[in-house]
Amino acid sequence: MAKSFKEFGEVAEGLIEKGNEAEREVKACRNQVASASSAVVAARAQLAAASETDESGNPKGDVREAQAQLSIAQNKLEANQRALSVAQGTFDKINSDKKKHVESIEQYSKTARSNLQKLGRLGGSAFGSDSLELTKGMAERLNEAEDIRVALLESMGINATAEHVPVGGSGIGNPWTVTPYSTLDLNGVAQSYHGGSSASLSDQSQVTGEPWHDDGASGTGIVGSRMSSLQPDEKNDGITGAEAGNISAGSSSLHENGHSGYMNQLIGEFQNPGLTIDEKRAILNAMQNILLCQKQQAEKEPERQMVRKKSPQQIWDEGRRYIDNMLEIYRDDLRDKGVADGPLMNAVIAEYDKEYTEILSADCEDGTYHLYEHKVPDFEELAAEINAKNELMTTTLKGKIPLKREKAAERAFRKAPRQIVEALNKCADKVKPITDSGYGFNDQGEWAKNCSYYSPSLQQVFMNDQADDSEYQETLPHELSHFLDHQRGWDSNKPEFVSAVEADLASMNRSTPEGRKRFNEMLSDAISGSCAAKDKAVSDLIFAVFGENGNDEEITAGFCKKGIPVWTHSDSYWMGIDRYGIRTPDGGASMRRGEIYAEIGAIRCLDNSTSRDFLKTYFPKIYEQYNEFYNIND
């Protein structure tokens, strides 16, 4: 504790500077950990690629070198994680020291205010003139101490207002009331700081209708509606008026003192292993409502001095706990609906974790609370989707694709719409084992490795076994979409699909001003805007739509000018010209529509958002009709 007033300022200044340095070090360490994590992922990918074997069973790459690089990357990650842990510990220690210094200043202020009260009573006595002079000096020092206290609090990301007292004059009276200060929570739980002349303890009990509880340990009171009064919100899509009323009760004291203690209580109760899913959901909903209430107050009442500003670290820690608890409930709900633990369950949870973490990162950056506005998935639909994909991998495709390609196949359909997967499951008895595409003569009459393809006559998919797992994953949904097209009676040749292709093609008719404008927009977006054409499926689809006379020269030139790889079929394929030079009666229209259909299937299964949005924007009729075939709502 500082032994003189001067030391208060010197100690505070030193702590603030150390805290700033520690925060910079933590941020730098976090960046290094993120970079090292990316390096480990890349090294693992290189090792997997090097471990692939050729036809003779020999590795395609230098496995030993790849293993060494992975080991180096992992060691660097571990070193960076240790450095982050040390930096975080230093940062937390400095915050703890700041807290203790704030408490010292508060104790000083409490004593000074008490002395000022006593001096105020001497104003009319024989010692009045002396007491007024002494009071002025004490008040000035008290106000300076308040400024130091506020500076320390703000350095911890806590918005506080200095509780100054009037200096000089005869109207001192008794303006200095000793008021409670809550203990600061430095563990990332929702914090509040209560000081100054807001409602007294008895006032808080009257406003909320609940007693004030102080266990003397944490220093944070538990105020407001009890846990039992918060019922689970089935949709969980935001705070309701009634819930906001229960939590805030129109009382600023609840926001400042109640949230932190109540959040601590909820977090503690969530760890109870005997809770049911509904009870866990109710607790999570209560936590969400508290945080939404804070968001509303921060957005709608910025002029209130008691609205506390959270640091990015506080927002992150609070949000991470919320996400972890929420995903635990997601798992329990899916298990209750018959979903088994395994890769697909983990993949789904990981996707939600990624989505929510991205929102939380933006919240930390902007000081917002958008995470708590998220929508809860339809668990019946989600469970059906996961179970259908489990069936695809355990019955439909199990044993019908090479063992070494099972993981690639699983990834290929991990994000696929349930309806497409169910359609494949219905054809399970017709799915023949997938085999290598073999060799044949190419367009130049040369003997070469065949690309992947689907044979309608054999009802079988042939995959290029020389492709890596990434290409295999991209290609499998395309070829199986050809298989589905065939099994469903050639959707691609049905009148509604023919009309959809013609409608989208007509909307980009380059012989009209409107069509030319839309075509230019489409091509520009494909190669410069969203760069959707980097997706092989999008590239091939564009060439198919405009392929009546072979590969469109304007599109090809646009791709080449921007350095976008051209993924397409041959001119003769698009025009329906066989190896003997004879063109089919429909001029290759059915061939082109078949490829369009298969590419949409690949885009839907792989769920690349850029490619999907591109289709919806420039080929809406084709996209909508494909979805109608499978009853996909999108």
Side-chain angles (χ1 to χ4, degrees):
M1 180 182 292
K3 295 181 179 180
S4 70
F5 175 78
K6 182 180 179 181
E7 289 181 23
F8 276 131
E10 291 175 348
V11 173
E13 184 177 1
L15 287 173
I16 290 172
E17 180 58 32
K18 288 180 180 178
N20 291 339
E21 291 177 1
E23 186 175 14
R24 287 192 290 269
E25 181 64 18
V26 168
K27 289 181 179 177
C29 287
R30 282 201 189 113
N31 291 336
Q32 289 169 354
V33 167
S35 177
S37 296
S38 299
V40 169
V41 172
R44 283 178 177 153
Q46 290 174 355
L47 177 59
S51 300
E52 288 288 333
T53 56
D54 56 23
E55 293 179 349
S56 302
N58 299 316
K60 294 181 179 179
D62 189 339
V63 175
R64 180 174 297 178
E65 175 62 18
Q67 288 174 332
Q69 292 301 318
L70 175 58
S71 179
I72 291 171
Q74 289 173 328
N75 290 338
K76 185 175 182 180
L77 174 59
E78 290 172 1
N80 287 332
Q81 288 172 332
R82 288 193 296 271
L84 174 58
S85 178
V86 171
Q88 187 66 54
T90 301
F91 180 81
D92 292 342
K93 176 62 169 58
I94 293 171
N95 268 355
S96 179
D97 292 341
K98 287 181 181 179
K99 172 196 168 185
K100 291 177 181 177
H101 199 52
V102 167
E103 291 171 347
S104 297
I105 296 172
E106 290 176 354
Q107 185 61 42
Y108 167 88
S109 298
K110 181 178 179 179
T111 302
R113 291 172 191 272
S114 177
N115 290 336
L116 284 169
Q117 286 179 336
K118 296 172 184 177
L119 287 170
R121 290 195 288 270
L122 297 176
S125 69
F127 306 98
S129 60
D130 293 334
S131 70
L132 284 175
E133 190 62 31
L134 181 58
T135 297
K136 179 180 177 181
M138 289 182 64
E140 289 174 344
R141 288 193 296 275
L142 176 60
N143 289 343
E144 289 177 337
E146 274 295 284
D147 291 336
I148 295 170
R149 179 181 70 86
V150 168
L152 277 169
L153 292 171
E154 290 181 342
S155 74
M156 291 186 282
I158 301 171
N159 189 23
T161 302
E163 301 296 330
H164 290 151
V165 299
V167 178
S170 59
I172 295 175
N174 184 24
W176 307 289
T177 302
V178 180
T179 53
Y181 295 87
S182 68
T183 297
L184 302 179
D185 174 6
L186 300 178
N187 296 321
V189 178
Q191 296 185 39
S192 62
Y193 194 84
H194 178 68
S197 56
S198 55
S200 66
L201 299 185
S202 59
D203 293 335
Q204 293 167 11
S205 296
Q206 292 169 5
V207 172
T208 63
E210 293 278 36
W212 172 270
H213 300 284
D214 188 355
D215 58 11
S218 69
T220 42
I222 300 173
V223 182
S225 46
R226 298 186 187 278
M227 234 273 298
S228 59
S229 68
L230 286 166
Q231 300 301 321
D233 177 358
E234 292 182 0
K235 293 184 178 179
N236 200 17
D237 57 358
I239 187 170
T240 66
E243 289 164 337
N246 282 340
I247 294 173
S248 63
S251 169
S252 64
S253 62
L254 172 60
H255 172 64
E256 297 309 317
N257 291 292
H259 284 164
S260 178
Y262 191 42
M263 184 70 81
N264 278 330
Q265 180 191 11
L266 293 173
I267 291 171
E269 293 198 18
F270 195 89
Q271 307 307 315
N272 183 351
L275 293 176
T276 66
I277 292 177
D278 285 341
E279 287 170 338
K280 286 184 178 181
R281 193 180 290 115
I283 293 174
L284 192 68
N285 191 54
M287 293 166 66
Q288 181 187 32
N289 287 335
I290 289 173
L291 294 161
L292 279 172
C293 196
Q294 291 177 344
K295 170 184 180 293
Q296 291 169 347
Q297 288 178 325
E299 289 179 348
K300 297 180 181 178
E301 303 179 66
E303 72 283 357
R304 288 184 57 203
Q305 63 178 2
M306 301 305 292
V307 175
R308 185 187 60 74
K309 179 183 177 182
K310 295 181 182 178
S311 69
Q313 184 63 48
Q314 290 169 320
I315 294 175
W316 175 266
D317 291 342
E318 193 173 78
R320 269 312 328 168
R321 278 197 304 274
Y322 178 81
I323 291 171
D324 291 341
N325 291 337
M326 177 168 54
L327 295 181
E328 181 181 338
I329 292 176
Y330 283 16
R331 284 185 185 275
D332 287 343
D333 229 327
L334 290 171
R335 289 178 186 126
D336 269 11
K337 291 173 175 58
V339 178
D341 288 313
L344 284 174
M345 164 90 84
N346 293 338
V348 168
I349 296 299
E351 282 298 316
Y352 281 110
D353 194 348
K354 178 183 177 183
E355 175 187 342
Y356 297 149
T357 300
E358 288 175 352
I359 299 173
L360 176 58
S361 296
D363 283 344
C364 290
E365 186 76 21
D366 304 331
T368 53
Y369 295 84
H370 296 309
L371 170 64
Y372 308 108
E373 299 172 327
H374 70 88
K375 299 292 184 182
V376 173
D378 181 332
F379 288 104
E380 292 287 351
E381 177 71 16
L382 186 57
E385 180 177 323
I386 297 174
N387 286 331
K389 291 171 187 176
N390 272 326
E391 182 181 350
L392 177 72
M393 297 312 303
T394 57
T395 59
T396 309
L397 293 182
K398 184 71 172 180
K400 297 187 179 181
I401 59 174
L403 182 62
K404 67 177 183 179
R405 302 294 192 175
E406 285 188 353
K407 288 186 178 180
E410 179 188 305
R411 289 193 295 269
F413 292 97
R414 186 170 284 175
K415 298 181 181 180
R418 171 180 54 81
Q419 295 87 341
I420 295 177
V421 176
E422 287 179 344
L424 281 169
N425 287 335
K426 288 179 181 178
C427 302
D429 59 330
K430 298 179 181 178
V431 176
K432 294 181 179 179
I434 296 172
T435 189
D436 181 48
S437 57
Y439 289 80
F441 291 101
N442 60 22
D443 293 338
Q444 288 74 42
E446 301 168 335
W447 186 253
K449 187 77 178 76
N450 289 327
C451 296
S452 301
Y453 65 96
Y454 170 67
S455 169
S457 60
L458 297 175
Q459 297 190 74
Q460 190 169 15
V461 169
F462 295 83
M463 296 289 291
N464 178 5
D465 200 42
Q466 293 182 3
D468 61 23
D469 274 358
S470 177
E471 183 178 348
Y472 200 96
Q473 178 183 335
E474 289 180 340
T475 307
L476 185 60
H478 174 97
E479 301 305 340
L480 284 174
S481 291
H482 280 310
F483 168 76
L484 278 178
D485 188 14
H486 182 196
Q487 298 303 318
R488 290 167 57 87
W490 297 113
D491 282 344
S492 59
N493 282 334
K494 292 177 181 176
E496 53 265 46
F497 195 75
V498 173
S499 297
V501 173
E502 290 176 348
D504 283 337
L505 180 59
S507 73
M508 288 180 272
N509 184 344
R510 284 167 280 182
S511 65
T512 67
E514 298 82 3
R516 164 52 71 176
K517 179 181 178 182
R518 183 165 173 77
F519 175 87
N520 290 345
E521 289 173 352
M522 180 277 297
L523 186 57
S524 175
D525 190 19
I527 62 179
S528 300
S530 67
C531 287
K534 289 183 178 180
D535 183 343
K536 298 176 184 178
V538 172
S539 175
D540 196 52
L541 183 145
I542 293 173
F543 280 104
V545 171
F546 296 93
E548 182 178 4
N549 298 311
N551 287 297
D552 190 281
E553 293 182 358
E554 183 178 355
I555 298 174
T556 301
F559 275 52
C560 295
K561 183 177 180 180
K562 292 294 183 179
I564 302 292
V566 175
W567 295 98
T568 184
H569 284 69
S570 65
D571 290 339
S572 58
Y573 184 87
W574 292 139
M575 299 170 68
I577 300 174
D578 63 21
R579 69 180 65 182
Y580 305 108
I582 301 173
R583 193 172 187 181
T584 57
D586 70 352
S590 60
M591 304 282 281
R592 296 193 296 274
R593 288 193 301 269
E595 292 303 326
I596 292 169
Y597 182 96
E599 297 301 7
I600 296 176
I603 291 168
R604 294 283 2 217
C605 289
L606 296 169
D607 197 34
N608 181 309
S609 59
T610 299
S611 302
R612 188 178 65 246
D613 291 344
F614 181 84
L615 283 185
K616 292 168 72 173
T617 301
Y618 299 105
F619 300 94
K621 298 299 182 182
I622 298 172
Y623 183 79
E624 290 169 7
Q625 185 54 56
Y626 181 92
N627 287 343
E628 283 186 22
F629 282 141
Y630 290 92
N631 295 315
I632 300 173
N633 285 323
D634 186 13

